[in-house]
Structures are given as C-alpha cells and as structure tokens.
Amino acid sequence: MTTMTLAKALNAGLRKAMEDDDKVVVMGEDVGRLGGVFRITDGLQKDFGDARVIDTPLAESGIVGTAVGLAMRGYRPVVEIQFDGFVYPAYDQIVCQVAKLHFRSQGRVKVPMVIRIPFGGGIGAVEHHSESPEAQFVHTPGLKVVACSNPADAYAMIQQAIHADDPVVFLEPKRLYHSAKADVDESAPPAPLWQSRVVRPGSDATLVAYGPTVSTCLDAATVAAEEGRSLEVIDLRTLSPLDLVPVHESVRRTGRLVVVHEAHVTLGVGAEIAARVTEECFHSLEAPVLRVGGFDTPYPPARIEEAFLPDLDRVLDAVDRTFGF
C-alpha cells in the first residue's frame, strides 16, 4: 500500500503497463525529457528510452495519426494531449479514423490506443486550457471514454485502458493531479473498467458525477448529512459505454437524482443520463432529474472561473430543489 497523488498513480500505472508489454509506447508534446507539463510521464524516457517515450512536434493531428499507424501495426500507443483545448486539431483523426477503422475493416483491424486528455478547470489557466469536451467523444460510436476521479482508480484504469483492444479516450481531472492523495494497493485486483460505482451510500437522493466533480459531490454529501439528509454518491467512471445499472437501482430507492459535471449543461452527458433514468425509472421519480454544470458560455478567465464551476453550494441548492416537488 502506497500513498500517491493522482499524478503519481498515473505515472506508476503507465510504468507498470510499459514493463508488462514492450509494445506500449508513450508519445506527445514534452512527455520525454520534461516528463510532461504535469509530470505524469516523469522518468519514463530515462528508464525506457526515447524509442518508447517519444517527444513529438507540436502537431496534435500528426501525433494521433502516427499513433493510428502504430496501433494498426501491433503497438499500443498512449498519446498525451497536453491540454483539453488542444485536442481539436486532432478531432478529425479521432472521429474519422480512430473511431471508425475497426468498423470500416469489418473487425479485421484493431486500434488499441489510449488518448490521455487532462480535462476540466480549476487551475487558473488561460484560454483553451480548461475545457470539458467529453460529450463530443461520447457522441462518437467506436470510442470508449472513461474518467478517473481518485489515485487508486487512476493507477488501475490507465493500465486497463492500455490493455483494451478498443481506442479509449482517457480523461484526467487536472485540478486533482497533485491535490488528491490516497492509498493505492498496487497488488489489489482492479474493478472492471466499464462499471460505475457507489462511492457513498445514501437513502434520500442520488448524486451522479465523474472526474473532478466526484469530490465535490462527496463534500456536498458530508455537509448534507450534518443537516440530516442522506445523499448517495455514484462515480460513473465510464462515460462510453455508460453503466447506469447502479444509478437506476439508486434512483428506485431515493426517488431523486442530481447529475453534476463541469461541462456545459446543454446536451452534456447529464442530459443523456436524465433521459435514460426518466425512461427506466419514471414511476420511481419523486422529482425531475436536475443537472448542475458549467454555464452555456465559453470557459471564463481564470479570475472568475470559480463562479463557472459547479461547487458545493450549487449542488446542495439542486438537492434542495428536488425536495421542493
């Protein structure tokens, strides 16, 4: 058992995957000598060499396109997109090639690659450095999309994503890289990658989140408990495919659901969850499914980002509103 930050857990997971399979290669801007902007790949080039940890040009489309070729030739490339807002030059490659090659080849070609994207805000960064683009990838058939929220999951999930034969968009909550610490049992069997998980049981209402907002919901549940209200918190972990079985089971008991994410509310992942829960649990709902997320504006300047991001007060306000019905 080792206490790790989320960043260290990702580094350890990448290292273990590279030790286990010499076909795993890491590539991206500054991932080698520098160890990545957030130091996620720190020390990997020194230990595995510059043929397996590759510093690339500043060309996201070229990075992903090269990784596609490597994947088709039997490698398992792990691509780092330095910041979420930088992924768009590679969007054509991801949507038109990465997501479609297996289908286009009628299953003859596999594309086992991972696209790591630090996502979300909360770090006081400039424009293009605090985006939440997950819905665009979830909407694309052929891609798997997952989001870790804690060090233990980060360590296990990055290895599982690398071992998967499908392309995986791996979302990492950047504001938790160096703030979230937890014990990581590197020998423990991991939970299945494509499953959501109840991280705090409750009986009065259900909170569903992923990535950076899981900790926000856990804090909200702690405060609510002091006021006599029991909130169940579910960490989705996987966004495509969505595992809503624990969500349906929870809502059938609590009758109330609030979905929380940093991304814009309009047509975000929360909208799909709300629709599916309404279809499956209509007669159990005591109130409409409510969503808490970013406002429908471009991500704001750093000095006012806290007003944009879902916080404890906004989550608890939504919970209060569910009890008003």
Side-chain angles (χ1 to χ4, degrees):
M1 190 78 72
T2 307
T3 301
M4 299 184 187
T5 62
L6 194 143
K8 287 293 185 183
L10 286 167
N11 180 276
L14 286 167
R15 180 178 296 277
K16 182 67 165 60
M18 296 184 77
E19 290 171 348
D20 290 346
D21 186 351
D22 60 10
K23 292 293 187 180
V24 177
V25 296
V26 173
M27 53 196 299
E29 299 161 7
D30 298 319
V31 299
R33 291 182 62 186
L34 182 65
V37 169
F38 296 102
R39 304 298 186 265
I40 306 302
T41 55
D42 188 38
L44 296 183
Q45 190 180 73
K46 174 180 174 292
D47 293 339
F48 295 99
D50 58 11
R52 292 188 64 195
V53 183
I54 305 163
D55 279 319
T56 66
L58 303 179
E60 286 79 10
S61 182
I63 297 168
V64 173
T66 301
V68 171
L70 285 167
M72 292 174 69
R73 296 292 292 177
Y75 289 87
R76 292 184 178 269
V78 182
V79 169
E80 178 180 297
I81 301 297
Q82 198 170 73
F83 282 91
D84 34 41
F86 299 175
V87 74
Y88 296 109
Y91 191 72
D92 173 66
Q93 291 279 8
I94 296 170
V95 172
C96 296
Q97 308 302 331
V98 175
K100 290 183 169 60
L101 272 169
H102 187 65
F103 185 84
R104 183 187 301 152
S105 66
Q106 297 182 328
R108 290 189 292 271
V109 175
K110 294 180 179 179
V111 190
M113 61 183 288
V114 175
I115 302 170
R116 293 181 41 243
I117 305 178
F119 83 122
I123 64 168
V126 297
E127 190 178 25
H128 308 308
H129 290 67
S130 301
E131 308 297 322
S132 297
E134 58 267 26
Q136 298 173 61
F137 299 113
V138 171
H139 189 68
T140 304
L143 298 176
K144 300 290 180 69
V145 184
V146 299
C148 58
S149 68
N150 61 77
D153 267 356
Y155 175 76
M157 289 171 68
I158 189 64
Q159 295 179 67
Q160 292 170 306
I162 292 169
H163 293 152
D165 286 333
D166 295 307
V168 179
V169 175
F170 194 93
L171 300 168
E172 304 166 5
K174 68 170 83 74
R175 66 175 154 127
L176 300 183
Y177 272 150
H178 302 289
S179 62
K181 285 188 176 182
D183 291 334
V184 177
D185 185 351
E186 298 174 54
S187 63
L193 181 59
W194 318 117
Q195 286 186 10
S196 55
R197 178 194 299 138
V198 175
V199 292
R200 177 172 176 141
S203 57
D204 294 332
T206 304
L207 301 179
V208 169
Y210 56 88
T213 54
V214 173
S215 58
T216 305
C217 289
L218 287 170
D219 290 343
T222 299
V223 172
E226 296 171 357
E227 301 172 352
R229 190 168 281 168
S230 175
L231 304 182
E232 183 150 291
V233 181
I234 297 177
D235 182 354
L236 283 178
R237 301 176 73 247
T238 172
L239 305 184
S240 180
L242 271 173
D243 174 29
L244 295 184
V245 172
V247 178
H248 294 158
E249 292 174 350
S250 179
V251 170
R252 289 187 180 109
R253 286 187 290 102
T254 67
R256 293 172 171 85
L257 173 62
V258 177
V259 186
V260 185
H261 52 60
E262 286 190 16
H264 308 299
V265 168
T266 301
L267 296 180
V269 173
E272 178 66 20
I273 295 170
R276 293 200 196 182
V277 168
T278 301
E279 290 174 3
E280 294 291 328
C281 307
F282 181 77
H283 294 290
S284 299
L285 287 169
E286 301 289 342
V289 178
L290 298 184
R291 293 166 289 159
V292 179
F295 302 110
D296 288 335
T297 68
Y299 196 87
R303 66 181 179 274
I304 58 171
E305 70 175 346
E306 292 304 322
F308 178 90
L309 295 170
D311 60 10
L312 186 146
D313 288 337
R314 287 175 61 194
V315 173
L316 290 177
D317 176 69
V319 172
D320 287 342
R321 283 188 286 130
T322 67
F323 282 91
F325 290 92

PDB file of all heavy atoms in Angstrom, residues 97-128:
ATOM      1  N   GLN A  97     -10.963   8.475 -38.176  1.00  0.00           N
ATOM      2  CA  GLN A  97     -10.068   7.331 -38.336  1.00  0.00           C
ATOM      3  C   GLN A  97     -10.081   6.422 -37.109  1.00  0.00           C
ATOM      4  O   GLN A  97     -10.460   5.258 -37.187  1.00  0.00           O
ATOM      5  CB  GLN A  97      -8.631   7.815 -38.627  1.00  0.00           C
ATOM      6  CG  GLN A  97      -8.507   8.797 -39.776  1.00  0.00           C
ATOM      7  CD  GLN A  97      -9.040   8.259 -41.096  1.00  0.00           C
ATOM      8  OE1 GLN A  97      -9.027   7.046 -41.338  1.00  0.00           O
ATOM      9  NE2 GLN A  97      -9.493   9.144 -41.968  1.00  0.00           N
ATOM     10  N   VAL A  98      -9.688   6.979 -35.960  1.00  0.00           N
ATOM     11  CA  VAL A  98      -9.583   6.163 -34.747  1.00  0.00           C
ATOM     12  C   VAL A  98     -10.896   5.444 -34.442  1.00  0.00           C
ATOM     13  O   VAL A  98     -10.925   4.239 -34.177  1.00  0.00           O
ATOM     14  CB  VAL A  98      -9.165   7.043 -33.550  1.00  0.00           C
ATOM     15  CG1 VAL A  98      -9.175   6.222 -32.257  1.00  0.00           C
ATOM     16  CG2 VAL A  98      -7.792   7.660 -33.785  1.00  0.00           C
ATOM     17  N   ALA A  99     -11.998   6.176 -34.496  1.00  0.00           N
ATOM     18  CA  ALA A  99     -13.293   5.615 -34.107  1.00  0.00           C
ATOM     19  C   ALA A  99     -13.878   4.672 -35.147  1.00  0.00           C
ATOM     20  O   ALA A  99     -14.753   3.867 -34.822  1.00  0.00           O
ATOM     21  CB  ALA A  99     -14.282   6.748 -33.837  1.00  0.00           C
ATOM     22  N   LYS A 100     -13.412   4.744 -36.388  1.00  0.00           N
ATOM     23  CA  LYS A 100     -14.106   4.034 -37.469  1.00  0.00           C
ATOM     24  C   LYS A 100     -13.324   2.878 -38.081  1.00  0.00           C
ATOM     25  O   LYS A 100     -13.893   2.076 -38.827  1.00  0.00           O
ATOM     26  CB  LYS A 100     -14.477   5.032 -38.580  1.00  0.00           C
ATOM     27  CG  LYS A 100     -15.577   6.012 -38.172  1.00  0.00           C
ATOM     28  CD  LYS A 100     -15.946   6.929 -39.315  1.00  0.00           C
ATOM     29  CE  LYS A 100     -17.210   7.731 -39.011  1.00  0.00           C
ATOM     30  NZ  LYS A 100     -17.084   8.583 -37.839  1.00  0.00           N
ATOM     31  N   LEU A 101     -12.037   2.771 -37.806  1.00  0.00           N
ATOM     32  CA  LEU A 101     -11.230   1.766 -38.506  1.00  0.00           C
ATOM     33  C   LEU A 101     -11.697   0.340 -38.238  1.00  0.00           C
ATOM     34  O   LEU A 101     -11.734  -0.484 -39.162  1.00  0.00           O
ATOM     35  CB  LEU A 101      -9.752   1.921 -38.113  1.00  0.00           C
ATOM     36  CG  LEU A 101      -8.946   2.902 -38.976  1.00  0.00           C
ATOM     37  CD1 LEU A 101      -7.592   3.180 -38.339  1.00  0.00           C
ATOM     38  CD2 LEU A 101      -8.761   2.339 -40.384  1.00  0.00           C
ATOM     39  N   HIS A 102     -12.040   0.033 -37.002  1.00  0.00           N
ATOM     40  CA  HIS A 102     -12.482  -1.329 -36.680  1.00  0.00           C
ATOM     41  C   HIS A 102     -13.764  -1.660 -37.433  1.00  0.00           C
ATOM     42  O   HIS A 102     -13.906  -2.744 -38.016  1.00  0.00           O
ATOM     43  CB  HIS A 102     -12.689  -1.450 -35.170  1.00  0.00           C
ATOM     44  CG  HIS A 102     -12.976  -2.841 -34.712  1.00  0.00           C
ATOM     45  ND1 HIS A 102     -12.058  -3.867 -34.810  1.00  0.00           N
ATOM     46  CD2 HIS A 102     -14.086  -3.388 -34.137  1.00  0.00           C
ATOM     47  CE1 HIS A 102     -12.585  -4.978 -34.322  1.00  0.00           C
ATOM     48  NE2 HIS A 102     -13.817  -4.717 -33.910  1.00  0.00           N
ATOM     49  N   PHE A 103     -14.698  -0.718 -37.471  1.00  0.00           N
ATOM     50  CA  PHE A 103     -15.961  -0.918 -38.179  1.00  0.00           C
ATOM     51  C   PHE A 103     -15.734  -0.954 -39.686  1.00  0.00           C
ATOM     52  O   PHE A 103     -16.282  -1.811 -40.395  1.00  0.00           O
ATOM     53  CB  PHE A 103     -16.926   0.217 -37.810  1.00  0.00           C
ATOM     54  CG  PHE A 103     -18.309   0.067 -38.392  1.00  0.00           C
ATOM     55  CD1 PHE A 103     -19.261  -0.710 -37.757  1.00  0.00           C
ATOM     56  CD2 PHE A 103     -18.654   0.712 -39.570  1.00  0.00           C
ATOM     57  CE1 PHE A 103     -20.540  -0.849 -38.289  1.00  0.00           C
ATOM     58  CE2 PHE A 103     -19.924   0.580 -40.108  1.00  0.00           C
ATOM     59  CZ  PHE A 103     -20.875  -0.212 -39.470  1.00  0.00           C
ATOM     60  N   ARG A 104     -14.911  -0.046 -40.177  1.00  0.00           N
ATOM     61  CA  ARG A 104     -14.640   0.059 -41.617  1.00  0.00           C
ATOM     62  C   ARG A 104     -14.016  -1.217 -42.159  1.00  0.00           C
ATOM     63  O   ARG A 104     -14.283  -1.633 -43.293  1.00  0.00           O
ATOM     64  CB  ARG A 104     -13.719   1.249 -41.866  1.00  0.00           C
ATOM     65  CG  ARG A 104     -13.415   1.534 -43.340  1.00  0.00           C
ATOM     66  CD  ARG A 104     -12.361   2.627 -43.448  1.00  0.00           C
ATOM     67  NE  ARG A 104     -12.792   3.861 -42.801  1.00  0.00           N
ATOM     68  CZ  ARG A 104     -11.955   4.753 -42.273  1.00  0.00           C
ATOM     69  NH1 ARG A 104     -10.652   4.531 -42.266  1.00  0.00           N
ATOM     70  NH2 ARG A 104     -12.430   5.855 -41.725  1.00  0.00           N
ATOM     71  N   SER A 105     -13.186  -1.867 -41.338  1.00  0.00           N
ATOM     72  CA  SER A 105     -12.489  -3.077 -41.774  1.00  0.00           C
ATOM     73  C   SER A 105     -13.268  -4.349 -41.450  1.00  0.00           C
ATOM     74  O   SER A 105     -12.729  -5.446 -41.579  1.00  0.00           O
ATOM     75  CB  SER A 105     -11.110  -3.144 -41.104  1.00  0.00           C
ATOM     76  OG  SER A 105     -11.254  -3.322 -39.702  1.00  0.00           O
ATOM     77  N   GLN A 106     -14.523  -4.155 -41.001  1.00  0.00           N
ATOM     78  CA  GLN A 106     -15.379  -5.285 -40.624  1.00  0.00           C
ATOM     79  C   GLN A 106     -14.717  -6.150 -39.549  1.00  0.00           C
ATOM     80  O   GLN A 106     -14.813  -7.366 -39.555  1.00  0.00           O
ATOM     81  CB  GLN A 106     -15.748  -6.125 -41.847  1.00  0.00           C
ATOM     82  CG  GLN A 106     -16.573  -5.355 -42.876  1.00  0.00           C
ATOM     83  CD  GLN A 106     -16.980  -6.205 -44.063  1.00  0.00           C
ATOM     84  OE1 GLN A 106     -16.257  -7.119 -44.463  1.00  0.00           O
ATOM     85  NE2 GLN A 106     -18.149  -5.915 -44.615  1.00  0.00           N
ATOM     86  N   GLY A 107     -14.047  -5.476 -38.612  1.00  0.00           N
ATOM     87  CA  GLY A 107     -13.454  -6.150 -37.468  1.00  0.00           C
ATOM     88  C   GLY A 107     -12.066  -6.697 -37.688  1.00  0.00           C
ATOM     89  O   GLY A 107     -11.460  -7.252 -36.763  1.00  0.00           O
ATOM     90  N   ARG A 108     -11.524  -6.538 -38.901  1.00  0.00           N
ATOM     91  CA  ARG A 108     -10.201  -7.110 -39.175  1.00  0.00           C
ATOM     92  C   ARG A 108      -9.072  -6.274 -38.577  1.00  0.00           C
ATOM     93  O   ARG A 108      -7.990  -6.797 -38.310  1.00  0.00           O
ATOM     94  CB  ARG A 108     -10.005  -7.272 -40.682  1.00  0.00           C
ATOM     95  CG  ARG A 108     -10.858  -8.369 -41.319  1.00  0.00           C
ATOM     96  CD  ARG A 108     -10.456  -8.619 -42.768  1.00  0.00           C
ATOM     97  NE  ARG A 108     -10.784  -7.468 -43.610  1.00  0.00           N
ATOM     98  CZ  ARG A 108     -11.949  -7.298 -44.225  1.00  0.00           C
ATOM     99  NH1 ARG A 108     -12.908  -8.198 -44.065  1.00  0.00           N
ATOM    100  NH2 ARG A 108     -12.161  -6.246 -44.989  1.00  0.00           N
ATOM    101  N   VAL A 109      -9.297  -4.992 -38.395  1.00  0.00           N
ATOM    102  CA  VAL A 109      -8.270  -4.090 -37.878  1.00  0.00           C
ATOM    103  C   VAL A 109      -8.669  -3.611 -36.495  1.00  0.00           C
ATOM    104  O   VAL A 109      -9.781  -3.118 -36.297  1.00  0.00           O
ATOM    105  CB  VAL A 109      -8.070  -2.875 -38.812  1.00  0.00           C
ATOM    106  CG1 VAL A 109      -7.076  -1.885 -38.205  1.00  0.00           C
ATOM    107  CG2 VAL A 109      -7.600  -3.327 -40.188  1.00  0.00           C
ATOM    108  N   LYS A 110      -7.768  -3.763 -35.549  1.00  0.00           N
ATOM    109  CA  LYS A 110      -7.973  -3.236 -34.206  1.00  0.00           C
ATOM    110  C   LYS A 110      -7.126  -1.982 -34.019  1.00  0.00           C
ATOM    111  O   LYS A 110      -6.052  -1.855 -34.606  1.00  0.00           O
ATOM    112  CB  LYS A 110      -7.611  -4.285 -33.148  1.00  0.00           C
ATOM    113  CG  LYS A 110      -8.520  -5.498 -33.160  1.00  0.00           C
ATOM    114  CD  LYS A 110      -8.115  -6.502 -32.091  1.00  0.00           C
ATOM    115  CE  LYS A 110      -9.050  -7.711 -32.096  1.00  0.00           C
ATOM    116  NZ  LYS A 110      -8.660  -8.715 -31.073  1.00  0.00           N
ATOM    117  N   VAL A 111      -7.626  -1.081 -33.181  1.00  0.00           N
ATOM    118  CA  VAL A 111      -6.905   0.169 -32.920  1.00  0.00           C
ATOM    119  C   VAL A 111      -6.743   0.319 -31.408  1.00  0.00           C
ATOM    120  O   VAL A 111      -7.416   1.131 -30.760  1.00  0.00           O
ATOM    121  CB  VAL A 111      -7.649   1.388 -33.508  1.00  0.00           C
ATOM    122  CG1 VAL A 111      -6.776   2.635 -33.445  1.00  0.00           C
ATOM    123  CG2 VAL A 111      -8.076   1.120 -34.946  1.00  0.00           C
ATOM    124  N   PRO A 112      -5.822  -0.463 -30.813  1.00  0.00           N
ATOM    125  CA  PRO A 112      -5.650  -0.424 -29.355  1.00  0.00           C
ATOM    126  C   PRO A 112      -4.787   0.764 -28.938  1.00  0.00           C
ATOM    127  O   PRO A 112      -3.569   0.640 -28.760  1.00  0.00           O
ATOM    128  CB  PRO A 112      -4.965  -1.752 -29.059  1.00  0.00           C
ATOM    129  CG  PRO A 112      -4.152  -2.023 -30.287  1.00  0.00           C
ATOM    130  CD  PRO A 112      -4.942  -1.459 -31.445  1.00  0.00           C
ATOM    131  N   MET A 113      -5.406   1.906 -28.773  1.00  0.00           N
ATOM    132  CA  MET A 113      -4.653   3.098 -28.391  1.00  0.00           C
ATOM    133  C   MET A 113      -5.411   3.879 -27.324  1.00  0.00           C
ATOM    134  O   MET A 113      -6.629   3.766 -27.205  1.00  0.00           O
ATOM    135  CB  MET A 113      -4.378   3.987 -29.605  1.00  0.00           C
ATOM    136  CG  MET A 113      -5.602   4.511 -30.310  1.00  0.00           C
ATOM    137  SD  MET A 113      -5.210   5.480 -31.799  1.00  0.00           S
ATOM    138  CE  MET A 113      -4.537   6.977 -31.080  1.00  0.00           C
ATOM    139  N   VAL A 114      -4.662   4.633 -26.540  1.00  0.00           N
ATOM    140  CA  VAL A 114      -5.237   5.465 -25.486  1.00  0.00           C
ATOM    141  C   VAL A 114      -4.885   6.913 -25.772  1.00  0.00           C
ATOM    142  O   VAL A 114      -3.728   7.234 -26.079  1.00  0.00           O
ATOM    143  CB  VAL A 114      -4.701   5.055 -24.094  1.00  0.00           C
ATOM    144  CG1 VAL A 114      -5.218   6.012 -23.018  1.00  0.00           C
ATOM    145  CG2 VAL A 114      -5.097   3.625 -23.773  1.00  0.00           C
ATOM    146  N   ILE A 115      -5.889   7.779 -25.685  1.00  0.00           N
ATOM    147  CA  ILE A 115      -5.676   9.212 -25.854  1.00  0.00           C
ATOM    148  C   ILE A 115      -5.929   9.859 -24.501  1.00  0.00           C
ATOM    149  O   ILE A 115      -7.076   9.984 -24.062  1.00  0.00           O
ATOM    150  CB  ILE A 115      -6.607   9.799 -26.930  1.00  0.00           C
ATOM    151  CG1 ILE A 115      -6.382   9.083 -28.264  1.00  0.00           C
ATOM    152  CG2 ILE A 115      -6.394  11.307 -27.083  1.00  0.00           C
ATOM    153  CD1 ILE A 115      -7.407   9.422 -29.330  1.00  0.00           C
ATOM    154  N   ARG A 116      -4.868  10.224 -23.815  1.00  0.00           N
ATOM    155  CA  ARG A 116      -4.970  10.838 -22.490  1.00  0.00           C
ATOM    156  C   ARG A 116      -5.245  12.335 -22.640  1.00  0.00           C
ATOM    157  O   ARG A 116      -4.523  13.035 -23.344  1.00  0.00           O
ATOM    158  CB  ARG A 116      -3.683  10.659 -21.691  1.00  0.00           C
ATOM    159  CG  ARG A 116      -3.359   9.210 -21.300  1.00  0.00           C
ATOM    160  CD  ARG A 116      -2.065   9.133 -20.475  1.00  0.00           C
ATOM    161  NE  ARG A 116      -2.008  10.224 -19.517  1.00  0.00           N
ATOM    162  CZ  ARG A 116      -1.065  11.170 -19.537  1.00  0.00           C
ATOM    163  NH1 ARG A 116      -0.111  11.169 -20.449  1.00  0.00           N
ATOM    164  NH2 ARG A 116      -1.088  12.127 -18.630  1.00  0.00           N
ATOM    165  N   ILE A 117      -6.278  12.809 -21.946  1.00  0.00           N
ATOM    166  CA  ILE A 117      -6.633  14.233 -22.018  1.00  0.00           C
ATOM    167  C   ILE A 117      -6.829  14.777 -20.604  1.00  0.00           C
ATOM    168  O   ILE A 117      -7.782  14.398 -19.924  1.00  0.00           O
ATOM    169  CB  ILE A 117      -7.925  14.455 -22.832  1.00  0.00           C
ATOM    170  CG1 ILE A 117      -7.814  13.829 -24.225  1.00  0.00           C
ATOM    171  CG2 ILE A 117      -8.228  15.945 -22.938  1.00  0.00           C
ATOM    172  CD1 ILE A 117      -9.091  13.966 -25.058  1.00  0.00           C
ATOM    173  N   PRO A 118      -5.955  15.664 -20.134  1.00  0.00           N
ATOM    174  CA  PRO A 118      -6.241  16.382 -18.891  1.00  0.00           C
ATOM    175  C   PRO A 118      -7.432  17.306 -19.151  1.00  0.00           C
ATOM    176  O   PRO A 118      -7.395  18.112 -20.083  1.00  0.00           O
ATOM    177  CB  PRO A 118      -4.962  17.191 -18.638  1.00  0.00           C
ATOM    178  CG  PRO A 118      -3.927  16.617 -19.559  1.00  0.00           C
ATOM    179  CD  PRO A 118      -4.666  16.055 -20.726  1.00  0.00           C
ATOM    180  N   PHE A 119      -8.482  17.185 -18.349  1.00  0.00           N
ATOM    181  CA  PHE A 119      -9.689  17.958 -18.666  1.00  0.00           C
ATOM    182  C   PHE A 119     -10.215  18.697 -17.444  1.00  0.00           C
ATOM    183  O   PHE A 119      -9.858  18.400 -16.304  1.00  0.00           O
ATOM    184  CB  PHE A 119     -10.767  17.055 -19.275  1.00  0.00           C
ATOM    185  CG  PHE A 119     -11.624  16.286 -18.294  1.00  0.00           C
ATOM    186  CD1 PHE A 119     -13.007  16.429 -18.283  1.00  0.00           C
ATOM    187  CD2 PHE A 119     -11.054  15.393 -17.385  1.00  0.00           C
ATOM    188  CE1 PHE A 119     -13.798  15.705 -17.401  1.00  0.00           C
ATOM    189  CE2 PHE A 119     -11.837  14.669 -16.505  1.00  0.00           C
ATOM    190  CZ  PHE A 119     -13.216  14.831 -16.506  1.00  0.00           C
ATOM    191  N   GLY A 120     -11.071  19.690 -17.721  1.00  0.00           N
ATOM    192  CA  GLY A 120     -11.700  20.441 -16.653  1.00  0.00           C
ATOM    193  C   GLY A 120     -10.892  21.660 -16.237  1.00  0.00           C
ATOM    194  O   GLY A 120      -9.776  21.898 -16.717  1.00  0.00           O
ATOM    195  N   GLY A 121     -11.491  22.454 -15.358  1.00  0.00           N
ATOM    196  CA  GLY A 121     -10.875  23.709 -14.942  1.00  0.00           C
ATOM    197  C   GLY A 121     -10.348  23.654 -13.524  1.00  0.00           C
ATOM    198  O   GLY A 121     -10.021  22.596 -12.993  1.00  0.00           O
ATOM    199  N   GLY A 122     -10.273  24.851 -12.935  1.00  0.00           N
ATOM    200  CA  GLY A 122      -9.868  24.936 -11.542  1.00  0.00           C
ATOM    201  C   GLY A 122      -8.389  25.135 -11.304  1.00  0.00           C
ATOM    202  O   GLY A 122      -7.939  25.058 -10.163  1.00  0.00           O
ATOM    203  N   ILE A 123      -7.597  25.416 -12.367  1.00  0.00           N
ATOM    204  CA  ILE A 123      -6.157  25.589 -12.168  1.00  0.00           C
ATOM    205  C   ILE A 123      -5.697  27.010 -12.499  1.00  0.00           C
ATOM    206  O   ILE A 123      -4.495  27.282 -12.537  1.00  0.00           O
ATOM    207  CB  ILE A 123      -5.337  24.574 -12.990  1.00  0.00           C
ATOM    208  CG1 ILE A 123      -5.535  24.782 -14.501  1.00  0.00           C
ATOM    209  CG2 ILE A 123      -5.690  23.150 -12.590  1.00  0.00           C
ATOM    210  CD1 ILE A 123      -4.541  24.010 -15.349  1.00  0.00           C
ATOM    211  N   GLY A 124      -6.643  27.920 -12.765  1.00  0.00           N
ATOM    212  CA  GLY A 124      -6.270  29.300 -13.046  1.00  0.00           C
ATOM    213  C   GLY A 124      -5.527  29.477 -14.350  1.00  0.00           C
ATOM    214  O   GLY A 124      -4.639  30.326 -14.456  1.00  0.00           O
ATOM    215  N   ALA A 125      -5.899  28.703 -15.361  1.00  0.00           N
ATOM    216  CA  ALA A 125      -5.173  28.720 -16.629  1.00  0.00           C
ATOM    217  C   ALA A 125      -5.799  29.707 -17.616  1.00  0.00           C
ATOM    218  O   ALA A 125      -6.876  30.257 -17.384  1.00  0.00           O
ATOM    219  CB  ALA A 125      -5.145  27.322 -17.234  1.00  0.00           C
ATOM    220  N   VAL A 126      -5.109  29.899 -18.737  1.00  0.00           N
ATOM    221  CA  VAL A 126      -5.595  30.796 -19.776  1.00  0.00           C
ATOM    222  C   VAL A 126      -6.521  30.042 -20.730  1.00  0.00           C
ATOM    223  O   VAL A 126      -6.767  28.844 -20.567  1.00  0.00           O
ATOM    224  CB  VAL A 126      -4.410  31.415 -20.563  1.00  0.00           C
ATOM    225  CG1 VAL A 126      -3.569  32.266 -19.632  1.00  0.00           C
ATOM    226  CG2 VAL A 126      -3.551  30.313 -21.205  1.00  0.00           C
ATOM    227  N   GLU A 127      -7.021  30.741 -21.738  1.00  0.00           N
ATOM    228  CA  GLU A 127      -7.970  30.166 -22.689  1.00  0.00           C
ATOM    229  C   GLU A 127      -7.423  28.887 -23.327  1.00  0.00           C
ATOM    230  O   GLU A 127      -6.219  28.763 -23.553  1.00  0.00           O
ATOM    231  CB  GLU A 127      -8.283  31.199 -23.778  1.00  0.00           C
ATOM    232  CG  GLU A 127      -9.432  30.806 -24.682  1.00  0.00           C
ATOM    233  CD  GLU A 127      -9.734  31.894 -25.716  1.00  0.00           C
ATOM    234  OE1 GLU A 127      -8.809  32.678 -26.038  1.00  0.00           O
ATOM    235  OE2 GLU A 127     -10.861  31.939 -26.208  1.00  0.00           O
ATOM    236  N   HIS A 128      -8.316  27.934 -23.606  1.00  0.00           N
ATOM    237  CA  HIS A 128      -8.013  26.643 -24.243  1.00  0.00           C
ATOM    238  C   HIS A 128      -7.358  25.639 -23.282  1.00  0.00           C
ATOM    239  O   HIS A 128      -6.922  24.587 -23.723  1.00  0.00           O
ATOM    240  CB  HIS A 128      -7.107  26.796 -25.473  1.00  0.00           C
ATOM    241  CG  HIS A 128      -7.589  27.791 -26.463  1.00  0.00           C
ATOM    242  ND1 HIS A 128      -8.865  27.784 -26.978  1.00  0.00           N
ATOM    243  CD2 HIS A 128      -6.955  28.855 -27.032  1.00  0.00           C
ATOM    244  CE1 HIS A 128      -9.001  28.792 -27.821  1.00  0.00           C
ATOM    245  NE2 HIS A 128      -7.865  29.460 -27.862  1.00  0.00           N
TER     246      HIS A 128
END
